[in-house]
Amino acid sequence: MSLGRSEKDERMGVFAGFERIVRQGEPLAMHTWFQLGGPAEYFAEPATMDELVGLVGRCAEVDLPLRVLGGGSNVLVRDAGVSGLVVTLAAPVFCDIQVRGETIAAGAGTRLGRVVTAAVHQGLAGLEGLVAIPGTLGGALRGNAGTHAGDIGQWTAEVSMVTRAGELVQRSRDEIVFSYRQSNLDDPVIVGATLELQRDDPRELARRLQKQWIVRKASQPMGHQCAGCVFRNPRGAAAADLVERAGLKGTRIGGAVVSDRNANYIVAEPEATPSDVLRLIDLVRGQVRDRLGVELELQLEIW
């Protein structure tokens, strides 16, 4: 049942002073790769650091859940949507890139691909193996994005974050623990990071970048497909290989299908629902466990 104007105005009182940047009932499907799911109770696009810090502090004051949505490549939103506030850091202040010597400072809302290509163009090596990994720098840092060639954590010198109390802080490298596809960066909002890289021949870097791009794109669903990567790779194995060995490529539930190009992706066809995707995930995990004795862990975030 839709809310009347007065009731909406009363609920928006939680964010008094932020009415210009906070919306109610924002559909989240348009913000994710799956293009599925319900709305956010509140949705904000802060334009300044002060606005972001203020929003985080307000959520803490009223005990309201807070989530950050980056590129939406690793998120599946349930039909019911998300309670609390969802923040996206798409404003220019959160997407800036600055190169100083062998150091790159970038905002958390910056697409990871932009950071990688900026490094290569400046003759800085280390990140080229991350090309074609979707999402933003903030998401890459929180999940320690990487490939067999390395991960972003090994190049991270400092991370800027906003604490639950709404305080802007800097986490130095010796405070941060990066492990396989995860980190201890558990403050609510990553704002930006400083990466320390190494000098190399720009032409050689460009060749490596192009090679990595071709390899990565060949193993991902087609660009027009709504899809998401589902499982973490177990130690010493690839989740895609395990799903394929279990005979599950092309398996379908409703409008959700295990990708023929990479079995660690689920493709959401136009008629798909979040429930279809969730049921298919459960089926794949169960079959891989029963047939191969491996328990797959989710990489995908379920909201």
Side-chain angles (χ1 to χ4, degrees):
M1 184 175 65
S2 61
L3 297 174
R5 182 176 180 83
S6 61
E7 189 174 353
K8 285 185 178 181
D9 290 343
E10 181 180 343
R11 292 179 66 193
M12 277 300 291
V14 171
F15 290 107
F18 296 101
E19 294 88 351
R20 184 177 59 82
I21 59 171
V22 177
R23 303 193 291 271
Q24 284 184 267
E26 174 81 2
L28 292 178
M30 69 178 74
H31 297 285
T32 71
W33 279 35
F34 274 116
Q35 295 186 15
L36 297 173
E41 184 178 6
Y42 302 101
F43 184 87
E45 299 178 83
T48 67
M49 190 68 71
D50 285 345
E51 287 179 349
L52 173 62
V53 169
L55 286 169
V56 176
R58 185 67 56 84
C59 286
E61 289 173 14
V62 299
D63 196 26
L64 195 71
L66 170 68
R67 299 175 188 263
V68 178
L69 182 62
S73 60
N74 69 329
V75 174
L76 173 66
V77 180
R78 299 178 188 272
D79 276 322
V82 177
S83 62
L85 176 68
V86 174
V87 172
T88 185
L89 303 181
V93 67
F94 304 112
C95 300
D96 189 36
I97 300 177
Q98 297 182 16
V99 181
R100 303 185 188 93
E102 297 178 359
T103 297
I104 287 186
T110 312
R111 297 287 175 174
L112 181 60
R114 282 191 60 219
V115 180
V116 174
T117 54
V120 168
H121 289 160
Q122 295 294 322
L124 298 177
L127 303 181
E128 59 275 8
L130 307 183
V131 70
I133 292 180
T136 60
L137 176 61
L141 289 163
R142 197 178 294 278
N144 193 22
T147 66
H148 66 279
D151 54 54
I152 197 167
Q154 70 192 87
W155 305 105
T156 302
E158 185 178 75
V159 177
S160 303
M161 309 189 74
V162 179
T163 69
R164 286 175 175 79
E167 179 186 6
L168 183 63
V169 298
Q170 310 295 322
R171 304 292 186 204
S172 62
R173 183 64 185 88
D174 57 7
E175 297 177 81
I176 306 171
V177 177
F178 288 107
S179 54
Y180 182 73
R181 302 300 169 262
Q182 57 188 343
S183 72
N184 67 340
L185 296 169
D186 55 1
D187 287 305
V189 185
I190 296 175
V191 174
T194 300
L195 309 173
E196 292 182 350
L197 306 173
Q198 298 174 345
R199 285 284 170 199
D200 205 336
D201 178 9
R203 289 173 296 181
E204 175 59 29
L205 284 173
R207 283 194 291 268
R208 294 209 298 262
L209 184 77
Q210 184 178 31
K211 181 179 178 180
Q212 290 286 342
W213 173 269
I214 292 170
V215 170
R216 292 282 302 178
K217 282 299 182 180
S219 65
Q220 294 177 355
M222 303 295 287
H224 67 277
Q225 292 180 312
C226 302
C229 188
V230 180
F231 302 109
R232 293 179 179 176
N233 290 327
R235 291 285 183 184
D241 292 342
L242 293 170
V243 176
E244 185 170 356
R245 283 172 53 198
L248 298 170
K249 259 192 174 182
T251 300
R252 169 190 296 272
I253 291 182
V257 188
V258 177
S259 172
D260 283 327
R261 286 169 65 98
N262 184 324
N264 196 22
Y265 280 81
I266 287 178
V267 175
E269 296 185 342
E271 70 275 17
T273 66
S275 178
D276 292 340
V277 177
L278 291 170
R279 289 166 56 209
L280 185 55
I281 289 171
D282 288 341
L283 173 66
V284 170
R285 292 183 77 178
Q287 291 295 309
V288 170
R289 180 179 59 246
D290 295 345
R291 298 178 186 181
L292 304 176
V294 179
E295 188 70 48
L296 291 174
E297 295 183 11
L298 274 181
Q299 175 176 290
L300 185 70
E301 292 187 26
I302 312 296
W303 285 12

